[in-house]
Amino acid sequence: MESFLLAINPHDPLWIAIAFVCGLAMKVVGLPPLIGFLLAGFALNMAGAQTSGFLSATADLGVTLLLFTIGLKLNFKSLMRPEVMGVATIHMSLLVGLMVCLLLALSALGVLHFATMEWQTGLLIAFALSFSSTVFAVKILEELGAATTRHGQISIGILVVQDLFAVLFLAASAGKWPSLWAIGLLLLFPLRHLLAYLLKLSGHGEMLVLFGFVIALGGADLFELVNMKGDLGALVFGMLLAGAPKAGELYRTLINFKDLFLIGFFLSVGMTAMPGLAELAPALILLLFLPVKVALYFGLLTGFKLRARTAWQASLNLANYSEFGLIVCAIAIASGWLSTEWLAVMAILLSLSFMLAAPLAAQGDALYE
């Protein structure tokens, strides 16, 4: 009988072992292991390694489980609060405007990759850079044990609102709007009691794990069938189960699986494109704009009457760029709006923002004092 291991590239176990060594090294020096995973991806990329189908599949599964577990801790009312919906919307509008001005100024000065940039392209990149990474922020909050704190919940709420904007953009850019069958998704809300009952019947152990995987992956596939983003489906199905008596146990059961699969995601980010000195310079220029992004978060959160400490820590949780930028660049390159070098620029920028934001978020209280 053919072994399942034959479907795995022989290099994949080595890539994972390198990720373990790098993650362990970061843990020993007091930094989050995910920085080690990113560094491992960069090292493998520079050595000529390429992302395999196995790593891509585990990365996708990790992100789906991540959003499902986020949904288990959220409710719709929390997203409608002014400090969540208002901050997310106003922040994106202001930051995109500022970034477009910066990019056009760099284009007028003839700086590096920005020299030939038109305002439409600048608007696209500015929009991509206005997002913060859901995967990174939630992982940091969990490692700090702050996912259920006030600043943690606000940060996650803002990220979910940004994800909704991302869904609208992807639909518009691909000309792929939800089908008429998407209206039927409204029937899911009355069915939440049935889902909670099935969760209760699942009991403990392997049946609970299987239930979580079926609902998360099934929800993602259901949304894809009606031309909606699958990850949003996983999030919605998690929210449908939020508040159920066994939702907390399901969350604790899936969290280790999610963390394991997300290793593939962080490795894949580092291995997305070959970084070089030509791509490093524009990435560093865009990284210099990150403090402005954080300052806007802090100003808006305090403007919505949050305590300064809560606003400060929430701002640090969001002090990064998002993997959504890679998706936007891929769309722009496919449409002929950007050169292929921009994918490497965005991959470097994303990784550098992760490595900078992780220690800042971990030392948020000390920095505040």
Side-chain angles (χ1 to χ4, degrees), residues 139-176:
K139 193 72 174 65
I140 285 292
L141 287 169
E142 289 176 348
E143 291 184 358
L144 298 177
T148 58
T149 61
R150 172 76 165 151
H151 69 81
Q153 289 292 298
I154 290 173
S155 302
I156 293 173
I158 291 173
L159 290 165
V160 171
V161 174
Q162 290 183 352
D163 285 341
L164 295 177
F165 289 140
V167 170
L168 294 175
F169 169 80
L170 292 174
S173 62
K176 182 181 177 183

Side-chain angles (χ1 to χ4, degrees), residues 19 22-39 136 139-144 266 354-363:
C22 293
L24 183 62
M26 292 298 104
K27 186 176 180 64
V28 168
V29 299
L31 293 175
L34 63 87
I35 296 181
F37 304 152
L38 284 168
L39 291 175
F136 177 85
K139 193 72 174 65
I140 285 292
L141 287 169
E142 289 176 348
E143 291 184 358
L144 298 177
F266 289 109
F354 283 1
M355 288 185 280
L356 180 64
L360 287 177
Q363 299 297 321

